[in-house]
Amino acid sequence: MREINVDEVTKTVKDLCIRANCHLSDDMKRALKTANQKEESETGRGILSQIIRNFEIAGEENLAICQDTGMAVIFMEIGQDVHFVGGFLEEAVNEGVRQGYKEGYFRNSVVSDPLNRENTGDNTPAVVHYSIVPGDKVRILIAPKGFGSENMSALKMLKPSDGVDGIINFVLETVEKAGPNPCPPIVVGVGIGGTMEKAAIMAKRALLRPVDSENPREDLRKLEEQLLEGINRLGIGPMGLGGRITAIKVNIETYATHIAGLPAAVNVNCHVTRHAEGVL
């Protein structure tokens, strides 16, 4: 059994919050530069050039890439041979978010109650997804999620008879309805299977897969390519002002499901698809 003091979790979460909000991942940098080369619209190329310059300045100056530094979404993969000491794990996670958003001078965007709408003043609590995995390591993935894109996400309980065509139609309808709101070019996460909540979590998790990676399943890889092609035929373009590049990538995650169901969820992310990872 390996012991990890929760103070290490707090420090790691704090550092990851700052890194994710100020430094775009290398895969997204490469993808946006490639998109700029492929974009056929002069307006679109101008917008993509500004987006690229924006993330360059943010990285150089250690400033937030976007003013909406989002709600902290955290995936924690905890080795089953790990024992946390020194305090309560979730309190340590939220303390890391609190410190990271304060030290990074990031906007506090979280309200304590969805109806009363009182700002918590420190961007906590985070949304934390835990999973137990083999080993004695802890992998922490942080994905600050702005709500210009989050609000464009959708869930649909399809019937098995709807099949792949039903999924394609649902994804394309969701992106078309979103239009310029999620600040394209977007990254689209799709979760298929499980139950209602499982599909939604998979769609969110899919956004963390590098955009230059390939799905290990050939059928899903082909479906991702088909969806990306269909989305980019919509003509929404960078920031919704028309063009070839509406989406950078579509990532799909799947899980076993019930014989009577075909849950499907779409989680949309803006061109600032932020994520950072650390291992304890």
Side-chain angles (χ1 to χ4, degrees):
M1 182 66 68
R2 178 185 173 214
E3 290 189 347
I4 296 178
N5 194 293
V6 294
D7 288 345
E8 294 184 52
V9 174
T10 294
K11 183 181 184 305
T12 300
V13 169
K14 179 195 74 173
D15 293 343
L16 292 176
C17 282
I18 294 172
R19 190 201 312 170
N21 276 300
C22 297
H23 301 275
L24 197 62
S25 60
D26 289 340
D27 61 310
M28 282 302 300
K29 290 178 181 177
R30 289 191 296 267
L32 287 166
K33 290 177 179 178
T34 299
N36 195 23
Q37 295 170 354
K38 292 182 177 180
E39 180 53 63
E40 297 168 355
S41 160
E42 183 177 350
T43 299
R45 287 195 303 272
I47 291 169
L48 286 164
S49 294
Q50 291 178 41
I51 287 172
I52 291 167
R53 183 59 184 139
N54 178 71
F55 73 63
E56 289 175 343
I57 293 172
E60 292 165 3
E61 302 292 336
N62 212 40
L63 299 171
I65 303 169
C66 174
Q67 53 82 27
D68 184 356
T69 45
M71 191 169 191
V73 177
I74 301 174
F75 288 85
M76 293 194 69
E77 298 175 0
I78 302 170
Q80 66 178 1
D81 297 325
V82 169
H83 174 57
F84 292 102
V85 297
F88 179 45
L89 176 60
E90 193 145 328
E91 288 179 356
V93 170
N94 281 316
E95 180 60 26
V97 172
R98 185 176 294 112
Q99 292 180 16
Y101 273 71
K102 181 179 180 180
E103 291 187 23
Y105 298 97
F106 302 145
R107 191 180 80 183
N108 296 321
S109 303
V110 176
V111 295
S112 59
D113 183 271
L115 301 180
N116 296 333
R117 314 299 295 181
E118 182 180 352
N119 198 297
T120 62
D122 58 11
N123 222 64
T124 67
V127 174
V128 189
H129 302 288
Y130 300 98
S131 59
I132 305 299
V133 298
D136 64 356
K137 300 287 193 301
V138 177
R139 185 183 181 208
I140 304 174
L141 299 101
I142 290 189
K145 194 62 163 67
F147 267 58
S149 59
E150 186 73 358
N151 285 340
M152 298 299 105
S153 302
L155 170 77
K156 191 166 186 178
M157 302 303 289
L158 296 165
K159 301 184 296 295
S161 58
D162 291 322
V164 173
D165 287 342
I167 292 167
I168 292 172
N169 290 336
F170 169 54
V171 174
L172 294 180
E173 287 170 5
T174 300
V175 174
E176 187 169 27
K177 183 180 178 181
N181 294 313
C183 297
I186 57 177
V187 176
V188 181
V190 181
I192 305 170
T195 53
M196 177 188 72
E197 79 283 3
K198 179 67 174 179
I201 293 172
M202 286 192 296
K204 179 64 61 58
R205 184 67 176 77
L207 293 172
L208 302 186
R209 207 179 90 211
V211 294
D212 54 6
S213 66
E214 288 192 343
N215 199 306
R217 276 181 52 178
E218 183 179 0
D219 58 335
L220 295 181
R221 184 166 66 250
K222 290 180 178 178
L223 181 56
E224 289 172 348
E225 293 169 354
Q226 185 177 354
L227 285 168
L228 181 62
E229 183 180 341
I231 290 169
N232 285 333
R233 282 201 303 264
L234 294 173
I236 296 168
M239 298 305 288
L241 295 177
R244 177 183 178 188
I245 308 296
T246 298
I248 296 289
K249 184 71 187 298
V250 177
N251 285 339
I252 297 174
E253 299 287 336
T254 63
Y255 194 76
T257 193
H258 191 277
I259 56 173
L262 182 60
V266 176
N267 201 243
V268 180
N269 219 341
C270 65
H271 64 269
V272 187
T273 297
R274 297 163 292 192
H275 51 272
E277 174 183 339
V279 177
L280 294 174

